Amino acid sequence: MTRFSLSAVGADRPGIVAAVSGALEDAGCNLEDSTMAILRGQFAMVLVVSAPPGTSAEDLERRLDDVALRLGLVVVVRPLHEAEGGGAGAQEGGPAAGGAVEPGPVSAWTIAVHGADHPGIVHAVTEALAAGGGNVVDLVTHLVGEPDAPVYVLTIRATLPAERAEEVADAVRRAATAVGVHCTLRPDESDLL
Amino acid sequence: MTVRHVLTLPHDVLTTPSAPVGTVDAEARALAEDLLQTMAASPACVGLAAPQIGVGRRAFAVDVTGHRKARSCHGAFVLFDPEIVERGPAEVAREGCMSVPELTGDVARATWLTVAGLDVDGTRRELRVDAFEARAVQHELDHLDGLLFLDRVAGPHAVFPRKVYR
């Protein structure tokens, strides 16, 4: 099987997932990891799919042409090399195989950031995270508040190098404070049942 | 005795740890009245902390009377300088906040706890609370440390808009 990343974005309406997944099924593809959300009225999906041998990215884009046109979606398909595929075992803490994240034990943290909205909040926090060898695993933002007083809420799940997690957490906290937002970092607790 | 304006994000007093009350004097009793009045003026409100009405003092009001998720219920009460004496295991559930009106979040909170503090007469009280009352007390205690539920959510996908984006 050959793996591809597929992204599709367009104004939200019922039937987008059904139509895209139908076209992919017709092409013999299997949906692996995916995430989908409505962002300010735009439905956005990112998938990793496996396709029958010999399938090209162009083949898949062509097979999605009708759906894209009918639903007003911008679809981008890109082949993944073996090392980019991730796969079982890569998701808990450790970076995906082939990634540029430094090796070594990591710990999972949740980072909560909120404050008056202004450009540069995500950059300041993630720059400090990256400089310390941390890696963003999951990130969601919400813009709320009144139009004249918008509030930005940013929540990140990240892995930090285990041996200096507190030090990196301090750097992230300082970076957030420097751009005037409140930031709390907590190591994730998970009980194995 | 006044119904006060409830502050929403962003506001420094909501993200700054509050100072101890120390002695329950006339000013502290007036604060307690304002907390109770303001809480009662909002039908869905089960708790209110002093920072939410712009006062950086360690005081909160809670009243879970009649709430369907409540088990223990001590009626409407105010505690000054509250501290957790003992706590049980945590459980994740959805909660909201008048200071963050557009979002809710899934937060792990102890399912029961013993909280101690001074009441409006300045007498030390120790309350054993559980279920929803325990969640409300912990939420309000966090306000006194400058923390919102957003600072304790279970992860990026544990924050939810109250209204659907269209």
Side-chain angles (χ1 to χ4, degrees), chain A residues 141-163:
Chain A
T141 68
H142 296 276
L143 181 62
V144 294
E146 298 302 316
D148 59 344
V151 176
Y152 204 66
V153 177
L154 160 67
T155 316
I156 302 173
R157 187 160 187 267
T159 55
L160 306 187
E163 75 280 5

Side-chain angles (χ1 to χ4, degrees), chain B residues 39-105:
Chain B
M39 180 171 66
S42 309
C45 182
V46 295
L48 199 63
Q52 292 181 277
I53 57 169
V55 179
R57 287 283 180 273
R58 301 187 72 82
F60 69 71
V62 160
D63 183 4
V64 298
T65 305
H67 198 283
R68 63 186 171 86
K69 292 183 194 161
R71 271 206 302 270
S72 73
C73 177
H74 291 80
F77 66 90
V78 171
L79 281 184
F80 298 103
D81 297 342
E83 280 172 17
I84 292 178
V85 178
E86 200 184 357
R87 72 171 82 217
E91 185 178 86
V92 174
R94 190 79 47 95
E95 60 186 63
C97 179
M98 285 183 77
S99 296
V100 191
E102 291 163 282
L103 299 171
T104 60

Side-chain angles (χ1 to χ4, degrees), chain A:
Chain A
M1 296 294 259
T2 319
R3 277 208 182 89
F4 297 89
S5 71
L6 184 158
S7 68
V9 182
D12 184 44
R13 55 187 281 182
I16 294 175
V17 180
V20 171
S21 59
L24 290 171
E25 188 183 1
D26 290 346
C29 292
N30 191 35
L31 274 55
E32 297 189 355
D33 288 358
S34 67
T35 188
M36 310 184 192
I38 300 171
L39 310 172
R40 299 269 137 186
Q42 296 290 306
F43 191 81
M45 58 164 76
V46 183
L47 321 167
V48 171
V49 303
S50 53
T55 308
S56 70
E58 293 72 28
D59 292 338
L60 285 182
E61 283 190 351
R62 209 171 305 123
R63 298 194 72 135
L64 285 160
D65 267 353
D66 280 354
V67 167
L69 196 65
R70 188 158 51 83
L71 297 176
L73 301 172
V74 175
V75 177
V76 177
V77 181
R78 190 178 73 93
L80 294 179
H81 301 296
E82 210 40 51
E84 293 178 300
Q91 67 269 42
E92 188 47 52
V101 181
E102 41 186 280
V106 296
S107 59
W109 289 61
T110 296
I111 306 172
V113 177
H114 51 83
D117 182 43
H118 60 83
I121 296 172
V122 173
H123 175 68
V125 171
T126 55
E127 181 74 13
L129 193 58
N135 192 39
V136 174
V137 178
D138 197 0
L139 183 155
V140 175
T141 68
H142 296 276
L143 181 62
V144 294
E146 298 302 316
D148 59 344
V151 176
Y152 204 66
V153 177
L154 160 67
T155 316
I156 302 173
R157 187 160 187 267
T159 55
L160 306 187
E163 75 280 5
R164 51 194 173 88
E166 294 290 346
E167 179 192 325
V168 178
D170 278 345
V172 171
R173 216 173 278 121
R174 281 196 304 274
T177 305
V179 293
V181 292
H182 188 258
C183 177
T184 308
L185 297 98
R186 290 176 197 287
D188 287 354
E189 290 172 19
S190 56
D191 299 317
L192 289 175
L193 299 176

